[in-house]
Amino acid sequence: MVWLRLGATLCDIGQVNLKNKEEVASFESTYAHCDSMRGTLSVGWIELPDILSLKYFEGRIDIGNALDSLGQYLTGFSQLREMKGEIDFGIFYLSENRAFENLEVADLIAIRGGNINFYKYGKHFYNFGLNKLIRTNIIFISGISYTGEMYGFENLEDIKQHFSFSDNNFSKLNGFRRLKNIGRLFAPPGSGNAKAMVFDLFYNKNLEDLSNFDSLRLYPSQISEVTIANSPKLSVCHVPFMCRYIKERTGGDFKIGGNGPGCNSLEEVKSGCLSGTDDDVHATA
């Protein structure tokens, strides 16, 4: 999916830093005619712009410590469909993200790839939104201290390179249930064209199980690293995607430990897989 088509109005904004509501309003007025945009946009402590014609953005959107009041939610970029670049969220006071509500693809040709990156505290942040997102290169979620359940990413199917979820306090992950692949977005099985992938989940002190990854499949031939570690309440790791992976893996960097009983070593997870009743759970037999 590429929204930058013949006849599109591509606006090159260069580097723009919006610091107040007046600058946001001026930006919206200046670029109201654009359906595609290229450049670097930084927005801090205010609402994001919303250009209703804008469908495609190439570059970087940096949201620094968005808004300054507790419990608020973020809006903006409501019609953006494709982001060829990075969206970087700072969410110090936010409770939920409602921006980028129609974003379907984030895909960057660069070292870090189309990256959706959530970080910075988040004591009240529980809903990531982005429920129309289908695929991206990288998701990096770290340092969110909210202790309840996490929501968002309801329709995400493919992560091209790297999933990292670390240093968070969520007790349960309610997103990612449709996530199917990490590292093989455009390559069919056996094609040899898929990217090496990383699945990292560590230092999540309240997380209890991995059952939200119901549809996920990890392909050992493409895995460079899998880490599930230092999450003391995590005791349910013998879920289908892990049992299949353990049976099929022939190498790669696999680290598991520092978790709760049942998920504290490879042997414990294997035992859980063998004692389960689901066919996929029995994949290690």
Side-chain angles (χ1 to χ4, degrees):
M1 178 183 299
V2 177
W3 288 94
L4 184 57
R5 303 182 187 280
L6 184 65
T9 304
L10 174 62
C11 298
D12 195 334
I13 66 171
Q15 290 187 323
V16 175
N17 186 10
L18 304 179
K19 302 179 292 297
N20 55 56
K21 293 180 179 180
E22 291 73 23
E23 290 179 352
V24 170
S26 176
F27 182 86
E28 290 175 333
S29 176
T30 300
Y31 296 105
H33 63 291
C34 303
D35 49 27
S36 303
M37 190 173 285
R38 176 188 294 137
T40 300
L41 178 64
S42 299
V43 185
W45 300 103
I46 49 175
E47 279 288 1
L48 300 179
D50 199 9
I51 298 172
L52 299 181
S53 61
L54 187 63
K55 302 293 192 299
Y56 174 91
F57 195 105
E58 180 179 331
R60 176 183 173 96
I61 299 174
D62 190 355
I63 307 161
N65 285 332
L67 308 180
D68 59 0
S69 297
L70 295 178
Q72 290 190 336
Y73 54 84
L74 187 67
T75 61
F77 290 103
S78 63
Q79 300 306 309
L80 190 68
R81 303 294 182 86
E82 182 171 356
M83 178 72 191
K84 190 174 184 180
E86 180 174 342
I87 304 173
D88 197 330
F89 288 81
I91 54 170
F92 192 92
Y93 291 116
L94 289 178
S95 61
E96 58 182 305
N97 171 51
R98 299 183 188 176
F100 306 98
E101 60 190 276
N102 284 298
L103 185 67
E104 298 175 6
V105 178
D107 191 15
L108 172 64
I109 302 173
I111 294 173
R112 291 206 295 164
N115 183 9
I116 294 183
N117 185 9
F118 291 89
Y119 71 106
K120 297 178 182 175
Y121 310 110
K123 294 181 179 179
H124 305 271
F125 191 73
Y126 71 96
N127 192 340
F128 292 82
L130 298 170
N131 286 321
K132 289 191 177 180
L133 185 70
I134 300 171
R135 61 183 184 264
T136 185
N137 286 0
I138 299 171
I139 288 185
F140 175 78
I141 301 172
S142 182
I144 298 175
S145 56
Y146 182 77
T147 57
E149 299 184 4
M150 170 234 159
Y151 295 86
F153 300 108
E154 296 296 336
N155 287 292
L156 181 64
E157 295 183 359
D158 293 286
I159 299 174
K160 194 172 182 180
Q161 292 174 310
H162 191 157
F163 175 83
S164 180
F165 191 90
S166 65
D167 247 349
N168 301 299
N169 286 347
F170 293 112
S171 59
K172 186 176 182 180
L173 309 183
N174 287 314
F176 307 116
R177 289 194 179 276
R178 293 193 179 185
L179 182 60
K180 297 177 181 178
N181 304 306
I182 299 176
R184 52 186 308 112
L185 179 55
F186 299 118
S191 70
N193 295 322
K195 302 290 184 180
M197 59 78 73
V198 175
F199 181 93
D200 284 342
L201 193 149
F202 53 91
Y203 291 113
N204 297 288
K205 66 180 183 181
N206 290 315
L207 189 62
E208 298 177 355
D209 68 68
L210 302 178
S211 60
N212 55 298
F213 296 105
D214 290 342
S215 301
L216 182 60
R217 183 83 183 257
L218 303 182
Y219 294 87
S221 63
Q222 297 161 29
I223 291 172
S224 59
E225 176 185 323
V226 173
T227 302
I228 302 175
N230 301 109
S231 302
K233 293 185 180 180
L234 182 59
S235 58
V236 181
C237 289
H238 54 286
V239 292
F241 87 92
M242 279 303 302
C243 294
R244 284 194 298 261
Y245 169 70
I246 289 170
K247 180 185 178 183
E248 296 170 357
R249 67 183 289 266
T250 57
D253 191 2
F254 182 49
K255 301 174 183 175
I256 185 165
N259 305 311
C263 191
N264 215 16
S265 68
L266 176 60
E267 290 70 26
E268 287 185 359
V269 180
K270 280 185 176 180
S271 177
C273 291
L274 290 168
S275 63
T277 56
D278 187 279
D279 289 342
D280 286 326
V281 168
H282 269 95
T284 56

